[in-house]
Amino acid sequence: MSNQKTIVTQEQIAHQYEYMQFISKMTAEKAQAYGHPLRAFTQTFGCQQNEADTQQIAGMLEEMGYEPADRAEDADVIVINTCAVREHAESRALGNVGALSHLKKARPDVTICLCGCMVQQEHIPEKIKKSYPQVDLVFGTHALWRFPELLYRSLTGDQRIFDTTGDASGYIAEGLPVLRDGGTKAWLSIMYGCNNFCTYCIVPYVRGRERSRASADIVRELEQLVSEGYKDITLLGQNVNSYGKDLEEQIDFSDLLEKLNAVSGDFLIRFMTSHPKDASHKLFDTMARCDKVAKQLHLPFQSGSDTILRRMNRGYTADHYRGLIAYAREKMPDITLSSDIIVGFPGETEEDFEQTRKLVEEVGFDMLFTFLYSKRSGTPAAKMEDDTPHAVKQARFERLLKTQDACVQARQDAYAGKRLRVLVDGHSKGTAYPLTARTEGGLLVCCAGDNLEIGTFAEVEIEKTSLRCLFGRSI
Ligand code: 5AD
Ligand code: SF4
């Protein structure tokens, strides 16, 4: 299954830069005629990978002469990057596109683009063709690197453009521009796609097969980020524990962490997402040893029932998961743990659900992301019998939230009076604790006190706690 990916050649990338230059000339001429610069508005639904993709789109738009717009109403180009993981994200994206029809009527010149995971599904392009005539350009995840060419064709032709095909084995494209927001935090994609085919999940169908970037490219990008002043860098991949399996280079994710830890500078490395099937003791040993690797682990278990885990095709048992957590805590007693959970998977019984709830109680997570199962057409789970009434699933969901809130609050309370190293990263909404920061474990801290400066590390003492935030004063 591996090693089928297409590496986009430097020549092909250079070709895209040519399109960016063509468009840049066009935008400069128009800007002169209008008396103001052309603007682009981007909006992202979905995960961090999607946010990273949008930053690449924004980088290309900047290269093409567009300034960022805060509102769709002010923009000449609008790009909506969509998500397909749950139905809710899909309806929200489509709702927003629907609302743009007035704008398109008032200003037919505006170019509306729809991209990302949602449009990569088989039935979506037809739906957009029929019901959303305001959309000019639709491109899937596999066509992201060809955005300049597609936009050029859209701007210079009178046809709507749909490019949602592309080889499911996927592409690796290096050297495209990225526009980050310039704060302390940066995303760094280390791999794309997923090979796991969990039965509920659409991701492998819309993002293609697992493919890793060469470690030298990742190291180079990290060095660049550190030199630009980024201090909190999150490595991204659907399943980072599979990093390197498709490379000729003999390297796994732990080896990569070791290499990145050796880059000089004062910064933290986080990563997501890990899969319990592939998380190894070697990984936890490496995390414990590497001082720049945050002691934070997002390890989704999805369900505490072995029956459900099997039907989800997750490839581990609840006990295996318990073992991993125990080992991680043995090596890193202060580690911050988070997880994703799905409630209401087809056929989930009360007993299955109770096993999930008990696992939450038992582990004591610092953060949890709990989702109601959402049926995704084309996945194996969509064909499984699902006779649990929605109201029952909803009630379970709410019970689980109660359990998790109690557990999270207990974890938060345990920080009262403790001294923690944090990275100050922004302004809070409150006045008593006017700045925000993150602990090494990724917990949010609202801070007060002297000598606190955004973009620097500080020591704070925790004065009080709430479910979502710790409150600290600088020492
Ligand atoms: N329904 C509900 N949640 C889902 N996730 C993925 N697919 C679905 C689905 N069909 C959740 C999983 C995953 C997270 C990113 O989204 O918990 O870890
Ligand atoms: Fe989806 Fe499973 Fe891949 Fe995560 S590991 S993206 S849940 S198929």
Side-chain angles (χ1 to χ4, degrees):
M1 206 187 264
S2 59
N3 251 348
Q4 297 296 314
K5 69 186 167 203
T6 307
I7 310 258
V8 178
T9 64
Q10 282 311 301
E11 206 182 338
Q12 287 171 306
I13 295 288
H15 202 49
Q16 295 305 314
Y17 271 92
E18 281 170 20
Y19 282 109
M20 288 193 251
Q21 269 178 7
F22 294 148
I23 297 182
S24 164
K25 273 200 196 115
M26 288 162 54
T27 44
E29 279 163 20
K30 281 191 194 159
Q32 197 153 34
Y34 298 169
H36 63 78
L38 266 65
R39 287 183 284 258
F41 174 75
T42 57
Q43 185 175 39
T44 315
F45 292 89
C47 65
Q48 290 81 2
Q49 185 60 59
N50 246 23
E51 285 180 24
D53 286 352
T54 301
Q55 292 182 343
Q56 213 158 42
I57 291 168
M60 295 189 250
L61 285 164
E62 184 184 42
E63 189 81 21
M64 295 187 274
Y66 293 94
E67 289 197 353
D70 293 332
R71 309 180 319 152
E73 289 77 2
D74 303 330
D76 302 282
V77 173
I78 298 168
V79 183
I80 300 186
N81 193 2
T82 63
C83 171
V85 170
R86 283 171 292 274
E87 197 183 344
H88 181 65
E90 248 182 58
S91 344
R92 278 180 57 218
L94 286 174
N96 280 22
V97 179
L100 291 176
S101 70
H102 300 296
L103 187 71
K104 184 74 180 176
K105 278 200 188 101
R107 289 174 37 217
D109 265 7
V110 65
T111 305
I112 300 179
C113 315
L114 202 57
C115 66
C117 294
M118 181 186 83
V119 307
Q120 195 75 51
Q121 296 173 95
E122 236 168 356
H123 64 287
I124 293 285
E126 217 36 56
K127 187 165 171 175
I128 306 289
K129 272 180 198 162
K130 277 204 192 113
S131 312
Y132 297 86
Q134 65 272 39
V135 178
D136 299 288
L137 167 57
V138 175
F139 61 102
T141 54
H142 300 306
L144 182 91
W145 62 276
R146 286 188 288 107
F147 173 54
E149 176 183 348
L150 297 171
L151 183 62
Y152 181 79
R153 278 170 46 205
S154 174
L155 290 171
T156 56
D158 50 13
Q159 300 281 321
R160 304 174 73 193
I161 294 172
F162 287 79
D163 193 330
T164 53
T165 52
D167 191 341
S169 51
Y171 300 80
I172 292 268
E174 295 291 349
L176 290 168
V178 183
L179 180 64
R180 292 188 168 88
D181 57 15
T184 55
K185 285 182 231 149
W187 309 120
L188 174 46
S189 300
I190 63 164
M191 59 189 301
Y192 309 95
C194 184
N195 286 358
N196 290 314
F197 292 94
C198 301
T199 54
Y200 51 81
C201 188
I202 195 77
V203 169
Y205 305 91
V206 295
R207 283 203 175 265
R209 296 294 65 70
E210 261 166 29
R211 52 217 188 263
S212 310
R213 293 177 67 193
S215 70
D217 289 324
I218 300 170
V219 170
R220 207 174 302 126
E221 191 167 347
L222 178 67
E223 286 168 344
Q224 176 69 30
L225 290 172
V226 172
S227 76
E228 287 170 16
Y230 289 100
K231 295 215 164 3
D232 189 337
I233 291 133
T234 304
L235 311 179
L236 295 180
Q238 302 300 337
N239 178 11
V240 292
N241 306 113
S242 299
Y243 175 80
K245 284 187 184 165
D246 59 319
L247 293 174
E248 265 168 41
E249 187 184 353
Q250 286 299 311
I251 186 167
D252 65 14
F253 181 56
S254 305
D255 305 331
L256 177 71
L257 278 182
E258 203 95 52
K259 273 191 187 210
L260 299 176
N261 190 63
V263 169
S264 57
D266 198 12
F267 61 90
L268 275 176
I269 303 167
R270 310 183 195 278
F271 56 86
M272 66 190 311
T273 294
S274 294
H275 195 304
K277 165 174 73 73
D278 305 306
S280 60
H281 286 193
K282 181 181 173 189
L283 169 65
F284 300 143
D285 295 341
T286 307
M287 285 175 75
R289 196 172 49 238
C290 292
D291 59 329
K292 289 172 190 161
V293 175
K295 307 303 175 249
Q296 172 184 15
L297 183 66
H298 181 63
L299 194 64
F301 70 85
Q302 313 295 1
S303 168
S305 149
D306 289 346
T307 318
I308 297 291
L309 285 172
R310 210 174 311 116
R311 304 233 313 278
M312 286 177 162
N313 188 33
R314 290 288 290 177
Y316 57 86
T317 60
D319 271 345
H320 177 75
Y321 187 83
R322 288 186 180 93
L324 289 174
I325 297 293
Y327 189 82
R329 280 203 165 128
E330 182 190 322
K331 295 289 154 179
M332 297 166 280
D334 294 330
I335 192 167
T336 300
L337 294 169
S338 58
S339 191
D340 294 343
I341 302 170
I342 296 177
V343 172
F345 185 79
E348 181 192 71
T349 63
E350 194 55 32
E351 196 186 325
D352 293 320
F353 169 73
E354 243 341 275
Q355 286 172 351
T356 299
R357 213 187 54 76
K358 288 224 174 86
L359 193 55
V360 167
E361 265 178 351
E362 192 185 314
V363 173
F365 291 95
D366 297 275
M367 268 174 277
L368 277 171
F369 304 90
T370 298
F371 307 104
L372 257 184
Y373 168 72
S374 171
K375 182 173 170 175
R376 308 282 61 211
S377 87
T379 61
K383 296 193 197 80
M384 293 179 191
E385 195 179 342
D386 188 4
D387 51 9
T388 313
H390 180 77
V392 173
K393 293 187 180 190
Q394 186 67 37
R396 284 179 192 162
F397 182 77
E398 279 156 27
R399 265 162 66 205
L400 188 59
L401 288 192
K402 274 204 186 123
T403 301
Q404 77 187 42
D405 284 356
C407 294
V408 170
Q409 186 66 63
R411 295 279 301 171
Q412 292 279 91
D413 289 348
Y415 286 104
K418 288 223 169 111
R419 294 181 166 203
L420 300 173
R421 180 174 181 251
V422 299
L423 173 62
V424 184
D425 61 4
H427 296 279
S428 77
K429 287 189 193 120
T431 48
Y433 297 89
L435 293 170
T436 58
R438 292 271 164 190
T439 67
E440 192 180 310
L443 301 175
L444 175 65
V445 188
C446 288
C447 315
D450 302 328
N451 308 324
L452 290 175
E453 200 181 318
I454 293 176
T456 63
F457 288 93
E459 288 271 326
V460 297
E461 186 171 309
I462 302 304
E463 296 184 329
K464 57 176 192 168
T465 68
S466 74
L467 189 59
R468 314 249 172 261
C469 189
L470 302 171
F471 297 87
R473 189 166 300 276
S474 66
I475 300 166

